[in-house]
């Protein structure tokens, strides 16, 4: 039986490996995070033009990577995470943010607040498919009004370099009697979920056109320059592995 997203980071070792391994300096995930930070800063800066006070929620906040960034950009931020091990790491990382260890998708879970900005990074691709729509609806319910933004990503866009390996992984999974889910998700699928959740896509910020294989070939510094240029290209952006969506209430 496949391990669920909600239990994957229950142990402290797994949480620490995610923190120090996945986003280690010089890694491709770290490279994309540099671009994502710029994109998130730009989103908040644009919000501030018309909204001087911003309260934010970082859903599935993990070890506090996004929460720690947000607390320097907005007036107040709450990070919500289901894994206690992740929350323990996040609590030590943040300065002003409130970290809550809770499952807001559980039946009868109260709405703890309303927010001007909600972020959800690396959740929807990893989550059990049955959780995606309930999660979007739950986050939509927490948006303060129609000017509030929900910013979330799909870091497994099928129409990217991942498409090259899709047939291989499909055969491997079918051979083991498992459905092909989890590693790939299209923007079309996400748009359908948004519509069902009462959300409307406002704009998209892409990143990750070349894949991690570029790092040993050209080095980190050149790779990030190439990736930054690709993320700003309307044509190449469609084929980036990471799609950062900005949505509002419909």
């Amino acid at each position: 039986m496949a391990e669920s997203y909600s239990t994957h980071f229950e142990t402290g070792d797994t949480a620490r490996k995610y923190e120090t391994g996945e986003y280690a300096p010089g890694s491709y995930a770290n490279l994309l995070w540099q671009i994502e930070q710029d994109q998130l800063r730009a989103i908040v800066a644009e919000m501030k033009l018309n909204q001087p006070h911003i309260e934010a929620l970082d859903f599935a906040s993990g070890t506090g990577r996004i929460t720690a960034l947000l607390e320097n950009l907005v007036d107040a931020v709450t990070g919500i995470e289901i894994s206690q091990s992740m929350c323990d790491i996040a609590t030590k990382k943040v300065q002003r943010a409130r970290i809550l260890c809770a499952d807001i998708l559980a039946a009868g879970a109260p709405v703890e607040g309303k927010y001007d900005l909600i972020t959800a990074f690396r959740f929807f691709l990893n989550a059990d498919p049955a959780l995606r729509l309930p999660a979007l609806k739950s986050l939509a319910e927490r948006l303060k009004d129609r000017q509030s933004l929900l910013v979330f990503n799909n870091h497994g866009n099928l129409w990217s370099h991942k498409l090259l390996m899709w047939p291989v992984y499909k055969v491997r999974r079918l051979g083991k009697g498992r459905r092909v889910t989890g590693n790939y998700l299209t923007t079309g699928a996400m748009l359908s979920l948004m519509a069902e959740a009462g959300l409307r896509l406002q704009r998209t910020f892409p990143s990750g056109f070349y894949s991690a294989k570029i790092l040993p070939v050209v080095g980190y510094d050149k790779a990030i320059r190439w990736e930054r240029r690709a993320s700003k290209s309307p044509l190449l952006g469609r084929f980036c592995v990471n799609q950062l969506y900005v949505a509002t209430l419909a």
Side-chain angles (χ1 to χ4, degrees), residues 8-192:
H8 181 65
F9 294 108
E10 280 185 350
T11 67
D13 286 344
T14 305
R16 282 189 293 272
K17 286 178 182 177
Y18 179 83
E19 171 76 356
T20 60
E22 180 82 9
Y23 287 91
S27 67
Y28 191 66
N30 178 270
L31 182 155
L32 295 186
W33 171 228
Q34 303 309 310
I35 298 174
E36 285 179 317
Q37 288 183 72
D38 292 341
Q39 294 170 339
L40 194 49
R41 287 191 182 99
I43 292 168
V44 174
E46 187 172 333
M47 286 187 71
K48 286 183 174 180
L49 294 177
N50 300 307
Q51 193 163 342
H53 184 85
I54 300 174
E55 296 184 22
L57 165 67
D58 183 25
F59 170 68
S61 54
T63 59
R65 179 169 51 93
I66 290 86
T67 312
L69 174 66
L70 283 175
E71 69 177 0
N72 294 315
L73 300 178
V74 302
D75 298 280
V77 58
T78 298
I80 292 183
E81 167 61 41
I82 194 173
S83 164
Q84 185 63 58
S85 296
M86 289 286 209
C87 288
D88 291 342
I89 295 173
T91 300
K92 296 175 182 177
K93 181 183 296 184
V94 300
Q95 301 296 320
R96 298 186 297 109
R98 178 177 64 150
I99 302 296
L100 297 179
C101 189
D103 182 4
I104 66 173
L105 302 184
V111 176
E112 77 297 328
K114 297 280 188 175
Y115 307 91
D116 306 293
L117 172 66
I118 298 177
T119 57
F121 279 62
R122 297 179 68 90
F123 174 80
F124 289 96
L125 178 72
N126 293 334
D128 298 331
L131 283 179
R132 290 170 182 162
L133 182 57
L136 271 180
K137 287 183 176 179
S138 180
L139 297 181
E141 189 179 11
R142 285 167 167 79
L143 290 172
K144 189 175 292 182
D145 52 40
R146 293 186 182 279
Q147 283 68 53
S148 304
L149 300 182
L150 172 58
V151 180
F152 61 105
N153 78 326
N154 164 24
H155 59 290
N157 178 29
L158 175 61
W159 305 112
S160 66
H161 56 77
K162 278 184 169 283
L163 184 63
L164 298 175
M165 290 299 293
W166 182 79
V168 175
Y169 289 127
K170 182 174 182 178
V171 171
R172 287 178 180 175
R173 289 196 168 204
L174 291 178
K176 295 179 180 180
R178 294 194 298 242
R179 293 192 305 165
V180 183
T181 57
N183 290 326
Y184 305 99
L185 193 57
T186 65
T187 291
M190 289 307 305
L191 285 171
S192 295

